[in-house]
Amino acid sequence: MTKQVIVLGAGVVGVTTAWQLRQAGFEVTVIERESSAALSTSFANGGQISVSHATPWANPDTPYKALKWLFREDAPLLFRWRRLLGLPGNAGQDTAPDMALWRWGWQFLQQCNAKSADANLVQMVNLGLYSRQILGEVRAQTGIDYDCLTRGIMHFYTDHAEFQAAIAPTKRMQQLGCDRQVISVHKAIELEPALTGIGKELVGATYTALDESGDAQKFTHRLAALCQQQGVTFLFNTAIKRLVYHNQHIAGVEVISVDSKDNAALPAQSQILSADAYVLALGSYSPALVKALGINLPIYPAKGYSATYPVLRPDETPYVSLIDDEFKLVYSRLGDRLRVAGTAEFNGFNLELNPVRCQAITRRVRAVFGDAVDLTQPNYWTGLRPMTPSNVPIIGRAVNRQGRIDNLYLNTGHGTLGWTHSNGSAKAIADIMQGRQPQVNFNFVGLQD
């Protein structure tokens, strides 16, 4: 009998998981609170399939940088200290300290050493290489169109210290099979002439020819449609209330319909949906759902920003996807648009756009590309990235203090690399659910007896 699986969440991770499970012969239902796929974290991300962007946020240099950025509202890494300390901010705001952020911050600091950073980099490169391969297979299988460009990804540097700090990780990635290369300023401009305007400021670059870019939201939408054509059921406008749990087994998931306009619960009774197995792919919202089961997922929402600009002069706007390491921004050409994304703000589940951080993005775009894009019409967006302290996602079988939960699987915590790692983690979880060993060297959770 074909196993029935419920996937919780219809972002890029949830939809790729549904696709791989359906290819493996499972009957799949996807539950999503929003009215369509990829309307939250996957909606307007940086657009990069970036194996080369694998240096963890948690590394020996980060604590010093975080202190240096402490009082900068436009800092690439911003901790909301009022939230940490429980100090009053806006009127009516809860002034209790954010203990989840305290715990996560302490775990993050424990990862900020050379040994842990290297181990985490290895995990991220291995999964990234595998995921890039699986994405290529999906693209060849389906012919899916999502403004894909296979012109590589370039890290460029305008600060000597930042460039020197990138050389060792680049060599380490080469040892792991990632084709990232250190290149000269001349070669960087030759590969991407759109950098000519800041040529005098450049001090060096690295280039990964096999990395890619593309619109994650468009990919997810179209893959969801292909899933539906193959029999996958999507329950949109459906909120998940709780998992029905007994004796190390999930008996069902309690859901209720919500209004697509304001996500308010409709005046209807909840219902229990049941399957043979369940996959948790709810990103930042994953920990709250499984806490009652005795599972403490070390995931905290990191608010990322993006801005999308209409392209005015195509020849002066990049086709090679770029990473501006000093400013922690990425630039991806998506058809006639330029997507710029980056930074991380630890401020709970707050989704308000901070104008200072938005303006900082536009300021940097102006400095790099001048008026090649329409800076008067930025489309700003923010979303919550599910960050683990190590930056390594949590993929595998669910375990609590009593042991393994026999029919709950985890595919969450992908942080800033959800688009990069989605296809590989989806294929891996599908293999695990079939009792197979995934074809990637990665520390999957809960597989040991």
Side-chain angles (χ1 to χ4, degrees):
M1 179 180 176
T2 302
K3 281 190 174 182
Q4 296 177 326
V5 180
I6 290 177
V7 177
L8 308 174
V12 67
V13 173
V15 172
T16 52
T17 298
W19 173 261
Q20 293 295 341
L21 288 171
R22 188 69 192 112
Q23 302 313 296
F26 291 92
E27 291 182 4
V28 184
T29 298
V30 182
I31 302 175
E32 170 60 45
R33 185 183 186 101
E34 301 288 351
S35 60
S36 183
L39 291 185
S40 295
T41 303
S42 305
F43 182 74
N45 64 18
Q48 294 188 333
I49 304 298
S50 51
V51 178
S52 61
H53 203 183
T55 302
W57 282 84
N59 63 70
D61 295 332
T62 301
Y64 167 74
K65 288 181 179 178
L67 287 174
K68 184 175 67 173
W69 293 331
L70 190 57
F71 300 107
R72 277 182 50 191
E73 190 67 16
D74 61 349
L77 182 63
L78 179 63
F79 285 88
R80 288 296 180 192
W81 294 105
R82 286 183 175 275
R83 175 173 289 277
L84 267 169
L85 300 175
L87 297 174
N90 297 328
Q93 178 180 312
D94 183 4
T95 57
D98 188 341
M99 297 311 298
L101 182 53
W102 273 109
R103 285 190 296 270
W104 189 93
W106 174 244
Q107 293 170 323
F108 180 83
L109 284 174
Q110 290 178 309
Q111 297 290 323
C112 290
N113 60 80
K115 182 178 179 180
S116 295
D118 181 71
N120 296 331
L121 181 147
V122 171
Q123 293 287 289
M124 294 165 71
V125 170
N126 287 347
L127 183 58
L129 288 169
Y130 180 65
S131 192
R132 192 175 66 189
Q133 171 196 326
I134 300 300
L135 171 60
E137 293 175 3
V138 171
R139 188 166 61 235
Q141 179 185 1
T142 63
I144 191 169
D145 175 32
Y146 52 96
D147 291 330
C148 170
L149 288 175
T150 55
R151 299 200 182 189
I153 289 180
M154 184 189 302
H155 293 66
F156 68 88
Y157 301 88
T158 55
D159 179 88
H160 283 281
E162 290 281 349
F163 178 54
Q164 291 301 314
I167 293 175
T170 298
K171 291 180 179 178
R172 185 69 172 112
M173 291 178 198
Q174 291 171 358
Q175 295 171 355
L176 298 169
C178 177
D179 59 320
R180 185 176 175 183
Q181 304 291 329
V182 177
I183 61 174
S184 67
V185 171
H186 175 77
K187 182 64 175 178
I189 295 175
E190 180 183 317
L191 286 167
E192 184 43 76
L195 291 174
T196 301
I198 60 164
K200 293 182 179 179
E201 299 173 41
L202 295 178
V203 297
T206 69
Y207 179 63
T208 312
L210 296 180
D211 275 350
E212 306 176 3
S213 61
D215 190 326
Q217 194 251 8
K218 186 177 289 187
F219 173 88
T220 308
H221 257 286
R222 294 181 176 177
L223 190 64
L226 292 172
C227 284
Q228 289 175 310
Q229 290 175 17
Q230 296 201 11
V232 175
T233 299
F234 282 81
L235 301 178
F236 293 116
N237 298 318
T238 303
I240 299 163
K241 296 184 69 176
R242 67 184 178 99
L243 294 173
V244 182
Y245 165 70
H246 177 68
N247 195 24
Q248 298 300 99
H249 182 83
I250 306 300
V253 54
E254 183 179 2
V255 301
I256 190 168
S257 297
V258 296
D259 189 293
S260 61
K261 294 181 180 179
D262 58 12
N263 270 347
L266 295 174
Q269 290 185 341
S270 62
Q271 59 177 318
I272 305 294
L273 303 178
S274 298
D276 299 308
Y278 305 80
V279 181
L280 181 66
L282 288 174
S284 297
Y285 299 93
S286 297
L289 187 65
V290 297
K291 186 175 182 180
L293 281 59
I295 302 173
N296 294 309
L297 296 178
I299 295 171
Y300 192 89
K303 183 163 68 171
Y305 287 74
S306 77
T308 306
Y309 305 88
V311 171
L312 296 177
R313 294 203 287 275
D315 292 343
E316 298 176 29
T317 310
Y319 284 95
V320 173
S321 195
L322 302 172
I323 298 177
D324 189 348
D325 268 332
E326 184 180 352
F327 288 82
K328 297 295 182 282
L329 293 174
V330 304
Y331 308 81
S332 293
R333 180 72 171 270
L334 304 176
D336 59 359
R337 301 163 294 152
L338 180 68
R339 171 73 49 76
V340 185
T343 79
E345 178 183 341
F346 293 89
N347 192 20
F349 288 85
N350 180 292
L351 278 169
E352 293 179 9
L353 281 168
N354 182 334
V356 174
R357 297 176 77 75
C358 292
Q359 291 159 14
I361 294 175
T362 293
R363 221 171 24 248
R364 183 57 177 169
V365 174
R366 180 182 290 110
V368 178
F369 302 115
D371 55 2
V373 298
D374 189 347
L375 299 174
T376 68
Q377 296 187 59
N379 186 2
Y380 294 118
W381 172 87
T382 187
L384 302 175
R385 305 170 181 141
M387 296 285 287
T388 64
S390 64
N391 282 182
V392 178
I394 301 168
I395 308 165
R397 304 198 63 171
V399 176
N400 61 13
R401 290 181 180 178
Q402 286 72 49
R404 181 187 293 167
I405 298 175
D406 61 29
N407 62 341
L408 178 62
Y409 297 83
L410 308 174
N411 195 6
T412 188
H414 292 73
T416 59
L417 294 178
W419 179 205
T420 296
H421 289 159
S422 58
N423 284 274
S425 62
K427 176 64 172 174
I429 205 71
D431 283 341
I432 290 169
M433 293 177 71
Q434 296 173 85
R436 299 176 180 174
Q437 180 65 37
Q439 299 300 304
V440 55
N441 184 8
F442 185 82
N443 290 337
F444 297 100
V445 300
L447 299 192
Q448 295 76 24
D449 292 327

